[in-house]
Every structure is written in C-alpha cells, then in structure tokens.
Amino acid sequence: MDIYKFWKDVLEQNADAVRDYFDKNADIYWHCTNEHFNVDEFIIANCEYPGSWSGKVEKVEKINDLLITVTHVYSQDGTQSFHVTSFIKVINDKIISVDEYWAEDGTAPEWRRKKNIGKAIKS
C-alpha cells in the first residue's frame, strides 16, 4: 500500500479512492474524541468534513504489518492546523485497523512561556 497516496486521497476527501484502501470490516479509532468508526462512517467523517484540506506526511515507520505515520494536516485557508499520529495495520494490502491521535497545533501554554523554557521546532 502506498501510504503517501492514501494520505493524498484522504486529504482530498476522495471517498471512492479512500474506500479502496480498506478491508470492508476495518475498524478506525479516534482516541482523542473517543470515537470508533466502521469504514462507511470514517468516510462520512472524513469526506464530509467542511472545508478544503492539505497536508504533508512528515514521518513514516514500518514495523511488520503496522505503518506509523505523522502527518501535518491543515486547512487550505490557513485557519486550522493539526498533527495526526496514525497507527495503520495493513494485511493483504488492505487496512484492517487505524488508531489515530489528533492534536491541534498552537503555541506553548503561557506558564511555560513565562519560564522561558523550550525552543521552537520550526520558525
């Protein structure tokens, strides 16, 4: 499975293409919002989400049948930015499960800024 093409289709909200990556009985878990989706529900949640999206896969690790990705996802109008860590289990070239953790990008909390600790990763 081409993980970069998968993410491209997800970000472009291409429902038909996204469906083809999944085993029909796959499970998708969004742990930060305590949600479990089947494939049809995932496609609705992803492809009917408002707005237009872009992104970049920043890191990929493969351990046997598990793909781990870190992807920067952002709205094309620049108003929203997220990083998502995904654990994608693939068997016979089909996704059978996804565990995802979404984080909204933002500034460090005020209490850490006041302590003048840490440095920006990117400028």
Side-chain angles (χ1 to χ4, degrees), residues 1-9 57-60:
M1 186 184 99
D2 182 342
I3 195 65
Y4 295 95
K5 185 161 179 4
F6 167 74
W7 269 107
K8 180 180 183 295
D9 288 330
V57 176
E58 295 182 344
K59 186 170 188 154
V60 176

Side-chain angles (χ1 to χ4, degrees), residues 6-24:
F6 167 74
W7 269 107
K8 180 180 183 295
D9 288 330
V10 166
L11 291 166
E12 291 177 355
Q13 299 172 307
N14 184 343
D16 292 333
V18 170
R19 184 179 309 283
D20 288 340
Y21 292 97
F22 286 91
D23 178 89
K24 65 180 182 172

